[in-house]
Amino acid sequence: MSPVVTRFAPSPTGFLHIGGARTALFNWLYARNQGGTFLLRIEDTDRERSTREATEAILESMKWLGLSWDGEPIFQSQRFEIYNRYIDQLLEKGQAYYCSCSPEQVEAMREKARAEGRKPKYDGNCREKTVTPGPGVVVRLKAPLHGKTLYQDVVKGPVAVDNAELDDLILRRSDGSPTYNLAVVVDDHEMAVTHVIRGDDHVANTPRQVLLYQAFGWDLPAFGHVPMILGPDKQKLSKRHGALSVMEYEKMGYLPEAMVNYLARLGWSHGDQEIFSRQELTQAFSPENLGRSAAVFDTQKLDWLNAHYIKEASPATLAGLLAPRLADLGFPDLDPKVLEAIVPLYQTRSKTLAEMAQACTFFLIPAAALEYDQEAMAKFLTPEARAHLQALRQGLAGLADFKATALEGLLNTYLEKAGIKFKIIAQPLRVAVTGKTASPGLHETLEVLGQEESLARLDRALAL
């Protein structure tokens, strides 16, 4: 049995989106599971729509997801001579022919077939004619007219298509460029691809590609067509459902580990397990466990997974990921140790890194620049509360150990002496040092702010 070789073959006409990323992941997982090879092919034969920027964006997305490919990427735009050489082989064998029918003539054939209740397709007008190369001439495959084209789909099971439903597809356009189906088959053969896992929007192409394999006398790869991803309303996934480019999710603060875990479970199952490390996914993945029904994209589930991975990550790792986000918010060149102290306060509270970055900015603002919620000030900094804060300030100033445990002890002692409950001072103190009513634990917040900054904020709040 030959070693497993899979491939991902995006067209660089736009960014890499969720559906394409899932396809890449499934191929990557199977290759790694089998100790095989995962190849990357850029299908840039559409010269007008393919861009270098889109290619770079696709590569960036795959690197972010950790989907490393083997060898150098292959670009179809650099292989036209190879494709045409194979087309010439089919012409020599009599399995392809020149066709001079214009697009208008072909459309008239299809229209006539529709009117007669037949399959709209090219009617083989030039099939037995002697047409020579020239302007407006294409090359077509001489496909079988009878019988069925059969293949075994790893996901859908056995597939049979009547050859009468297929037409003689164009292999070479009138401008000399190869068509998609021809290029794909030649590339997959030359790259020794053994398994083609792709979206079921390619199902209609597969019988045509099977005919090409047969015409060349090549062995078929194993095909597996994965159902599309739907939105929560069971409609085709769109931007309103979350059909964004992969790197948009990075900008929104999702971790690649969460994205990979989530994409793997969109249409693949392994018992009831939901959370997988990359190693677990690699060990467990098999195309046989790919589902036959469409998967539903659920942002809430992605948020849940991302929150899990944030919780499990090391503070140092998250601090490194937070730094550029906070720089974008106006806090460049932050001390990594400061961020590492802040991160644990939010690891159990944040669904995304963007949410964490926004929430923790109050730690990084000097007392003089801290903005106070005026409604919270009016509600909680009452004359009674201010008297307590002034007394607490003295205790905080004299505290030699400004750690959370010592701060908790100081506050508890004060509550006991004053004969009041914690809620009497909790919100006033929180508003005074953070400017708002919501923050991580008060003792931990004070510790991270430090004694000098905490006192400065108390003084400013009391002055206000």
Side-chain angles (χ1 to χ4, degrees):
M1 186 175 177
S2 58
V4 166
V5 179
T6 67
R7 49 75 161 178
F8 178 53
S11 298
T13 55
F15 299 111
L16 180 61
H17 287 77
I18 290 299
R22 184 186 65 165
T23 297
L25 175 61
F26 287 162
N27 281 283
W28 184 89
L29 285 172
Y30 188 51
R32 298 296 178 251
N33 172 275
Q34 295 292 307
T37 303
F38 172 65
L39 302 174
L40 176 62
R41 183 170 74 230
I42 305 299
E43 297 190 337
D44 56 349
T45 54
D46 187 336
R47 295 169 179 174
E48 291 184 5
R49 297 175 60 221
S50 297
T51 67
R52 183 176 179 179
E53 291 75 19
T55 299
E56 291 300 323
I58 289 168
L59 299 181
E60 181 187 17
S61 297
M62 293 186 66
K63 288 173 183 175
W64 181 68
L65 291 170
L67 304 182
S68 56
W69 54 90
D70 299 307
E72 294 297 318
I74 291 172
F75 291 83
Q76 286 190 332
S77 59
Q78 300 170 4
R79 295 170 55 81
F80 279 24
E81 185 178 336
I82 296 170
Y83 304 139
N84 280 313
R85 189 165 69 242
Y86 278 106
I87 293 171
D88 290 340
Q89 287 181 17
L90 293 179
L91 285 166
E92 291 169 8
K93 291 164 57 178
Q95 292 183 303
Y97 61 93
Y98 291 106
C99 170
S100 59
C101 296
S102 68
E104 293 75 19
Q105 288 176 297
V106 174
E107 184 53 40
M109 295 172 194
R110 291 171 177 161
E111 200 57 48
K112 181 182 177 184
R114 288 190 193 96
E116 296 173 356
R118 294 183 289 111
K119 181 83 172 182
K121 63 177 187 174
Y122 174 71
D123 67 3
N125 179 58
C126 295
R127 190 178 171 103
E128 303 303 332
K129 292 181 179 179
T130 303
V131 179
T132 55
V137 174
V138 303
V139 175
R140 290 182 180 272
L141 176 70
K142 186 176 278 189
L145 300 175
H146 308 290
K148 294 179 181 291
T149 294
L150 311 172
Y151 69 93
Q152 182 72 23
D153 193 299
V154 175
V155 178
K156 299 178 179 297
V159 177
V161 178
D162 287 328
N163 289 332
E165 296 289 302
L166 307 173
D167 59 6
D168 292 351
L169 75 152
I170 295 174
L171 305 179
R172 181 190 291 154
R173 301 183 185 92
S174 58
D175 65 0
S177 64
T179 56
Y180 167 79
N181 283 304
L182 182 282
V184 165
V185 169
V186 168
D187 283 340
D188 283 345
H189 172 71
E190 289 218 333
M191 295 163 70
V193 171
T194 61
H195 292 75
V196 176
I197 303 172
R198 56 191 179 188
D200 63 6
D201 52 329
H202 286 282
V203 163
N205 289 322
T206 305
R208 295 175 169 83
Q209 292 173 11
V210 169
L211 290 178
L212 276 169
Y213 276 99
Q214 292 172 347
F216 283 116
W218 297 337
D219 291 336
L220 291 178
F223 292 102
H225 293 92
V226 183
M228 65 194 305
I229 302 172
L230 302 179
D233 56 3
K234 305 299 175 67
Q235 300 299 308
K236 183 179 178 181
L237 193 64
S238 64
K239 284 188 177 181
R240 64 191 171 90
H241 298 122
L244 308 172
S245 73
V246 168
M247 295 313 291
E248 281 298 313
Y249 286 95
E250 188 274 338
K251 290 178 185 174
M252 291 160 61
Y254 290 93
L255 298 177
E257 297 88 346
M259 206 72 213
V260 164
N261 191 157
Y262 183 70
L263 288 176
R265 289 289 287 112
L266 271 181
W268 173 81
S269 61
H270 185 67
D272 295 327
Q273 188 172 344
E274 292 287 350
I275 296 174
F276 293 83
S277 67
R278 190 177 295 260
Q279 182 179 6
E280 288 174 324
L281 282 174
T282 302
Q283 291 174 344
F285 185 82
S286 169
E288 283 72 27
N289 289 343
L290 291 169
R292 294 190 179 189
S293 57
V296 175
F297 189 88
D298 183 349
T299 305
Q300 289 185 336
K301 191 167 183 179
L302 175 58
D303 286 346
W304 172 77
L305 270 174
N306 203 55
H308 166 79
Y309 282 99
I310 286 176
K311 197 184 304 181
E312 295 296 310
S314 72
T317 297
L318 293 177
L321 295 172
L322 273 182
R325 295 179 180 278
L326 290 166
D328 289 342
L329 293 174
F331 303 97
D333 305 320
L334 294 171
D335 183 345
K337 294 298 181 186
V338 171
L339 289 183
E340 284 184 46
I342 293 172
V343 163
L345 305 187
Y346 289 95
Q347 281 190 265
T348 60
R349 305 163 65 93
S350 302
K351 295 194 293 287
T352 68
L353 292 177
E355 183 180 284
M356 184 185 289
Q358 286 286 352
C360 76
T361 54
F362 77 86
F363 279 105
L364 310 171
I365 300 170
L370 184 66
E371 293 185 4
Y372 286 91
D373 181 327
Q374 294 303 310
E375 188 176 332
M377 291 277 285
K379 181 177 180 180
F380 293 109
L381 293 189
T382 62
E384 178 190 4
R386 293 166 70 84
H388 287 305
L389 292 181
Q390 287 172 334
L392 278 171
R393 191 219 179 275
Q394 291 183 324
L396 292 171
L399 200 61
D401 177 14
F402 215 74
K403 300 294 184 185
T405 51
L407 288 162
E408 184 178 9
L410 173 74
L411 293 179
N412 286 338
T413 300
Y414 179 81
L415 294 175
E416 189 176 339
K417 287 183 178 179
I420 58 174
K421 294 186 180 295
F422 184 58
K423 66 179 182 179
I424 300 297
I425 63 165
Q427 285 299 70
L429 184 54
R430 179 173 280 108
V431 171
V433 297
T434 71
K436 51 192 178 182
T437 57
S439 75
L442 193 50
H443 311 118
E444 292 79 9
T445 297
L446 289 167
E447 178 184 343
V448 171
L449 282 171
Q451 190 171 35
E452 183 178 345
E453 182 64 23
S454 296
L455 293 174
R457 292 186 180 201
L458 264 173
D459 288 341
R460 180 155 182 251
L462 289 169
L464 290 173

